[in-house]
Amino acid sequence: MRIGVIGTGVAGSLLTELLAAAPGIIVEAFDHRDPGAAAGTGLNLGPNAMRALRLHLPARHAAIRAASLPWRRWTVDLADGTRLLDIDLLDVAEEAGVRIAWAELYRLLRAPIADRTRQDLELVALEEDAMARLVPVLRDPTGGLLRPTGFDLLVAGDGRYSALRRLSVGPPIPTQHGLAMSRLLVPDAADCPFDDYGQWFNGNARMLGYRLPQGAAYITGALLLPDVDSEIPDHFRSPDYQRAVLLPRDRPACPAVAWMVGQMTAQASRQHWARLQSAPMLRSAAGGRVLFLGDAAQAMVPTLGQGATQAIEDGVLAGLILGRGGSVVEVAAARDRRVAFVRDFSLAASDTMFPPCDPIAGTRAKAGPDFLAKLRRTYTDIYDRLG
Ligand SMILES: Cc1cc2nc3c(=O)[nH]c(=O)nc-3n(C[C@H](O)[C@H](O)[C@H](O)COP(=O)(O)OP(=O)(O)OC[C@H]3O[C@@H](n4cnc5c(N)ncnc54)[C@H](O)[C@@H]3O)c2cc1C
């Protein structure tokens, strides 16, 4: 069986690594290596991603652990430092998550599949050969077009703006949630007053930050848009507006918030802005000849840090199933209910960033048994239906 993988980000790299070792499968991967907006930032991977890797790709688990910091705690405070929530991830998971630089994660995932990957090739069209196999049409940097031998299965690992999804079924219509998110990587964060993953609320406006390896730190701010479908207004990018929304008016900010707002306003032009959005889930197309994984299948809100985390689960579980001769239908059975649960939970966990939710009461509720049971399910239950 010939399997082609478009995109060697998170899901595509892991899938390719597992299929390369599977008997009876020829796998080829293609990537146009767009560094993208995310490549210069950090991310946190949930304990469930590490569990999937530990059980099925231990070498990748070890490499990621070695290149990252552990994500052990999740704290939530008010902007003045009043503590609202403190979760030890080991109370709801088998192991800690990780904090890692994007570029480092990609490097570690792509290294083992270098001999299976053809780089600098962008999927631009889709054709079919006389055997009804799908032929990706790939453009090289000179504009030349490459048509590899047809594939029995083409896998979309090409992310949120998946060309394979667009070409096979049309682009997904995203749902906007009415929130602007700014992200900043601080390369030299020696004076950063916090370490592990924390969130800080000023009203419904929320800051998030954590340290990364090699003395860096990663900061995000989430600001409510005037309307659910609004574009990001220009004044959101101004230091004065950010100070007004993120700093408490009537009392001093705690050192963590003062530091983050100081960094964001001093480096306002380096912030990367995006709107909080999600896309409808889709697992397969073209009569089962196209399989969607990761963001190509299920772009979700980033609130619980489950985007890349689910892409890891996707890549590993699809690799196990297809590698032993299983079908796209089996991949869907193993993944769709699980992904739907994580997507819904990620959206529900975003409640405190939206009025009329009271961020104090809403955050304290996250220490309750219902939220913690869902968090435990998210962090441990990677096999929904894997026969
Ligand atoms: C700034 C930012 C911060 C984030 N933080 C977190 C976080 O903390 N935790 C978390 O779990 N998730 C986070 N996410 C979400 C995460 O980025 C995605 O969910 C994850 O990268 C999806 O993985 P993927 O394998 O589906 O696609 P990607 O990792 O996006 O990889 C797609 C690959 O496809 C290639 N490609 C794209 N188009 C083509 C084409 N036409 N032809 C050939 N190749 C193509 C690209 O070069 C890339 O290699 C964040 C996202 C952003 C933008």
Side-chain angles (χ1 to χ4, degrees), residues 328-382:
V328 165
V329 173
E330 286 174 70
V331 175
R335 294 300 299 148
D336 289 2
R337 202 172 61 176
R338 161 82 175 151
V339 170
F341 164 74
V342 173
R343 279 169 65 97
D344 290 350
F345 184 38
S346 294
L347 194 55
S350 313
D351 58 347
T352 40
M353 294 188 286
F354 296 95
C357 182
D358 171 12
I360 299 176
T363 300
R364 290 200 167 126
K366 292 182 168 63
D370 181 51
F371 188 87
L372 291 179
K374 287 183 175 152
L375 204 55
R376 178 183 292 279
R377 184 173 162 195
T378 300
Y379 287 161
T380 57
D381 193 11
I382 57 175

Side-chain angles (χ1 to χ4, degrees), residues 130-144:
M131 309 296 290
R133 295 179 303 186
L134 292 174
V135 179
V137 181
L138 300 143
R139 187 169 54 204
D140 70 24
T142 69

Side-chain angles (χ1 to χ4, degrees), residues 104-115:
E104 187 65 4
L105 179 69
Y106 275 165
R107 191 183 66 75
L108 295 172
L109 297 182
R110 286 169 174 163
I113 57 161
D115 62 341

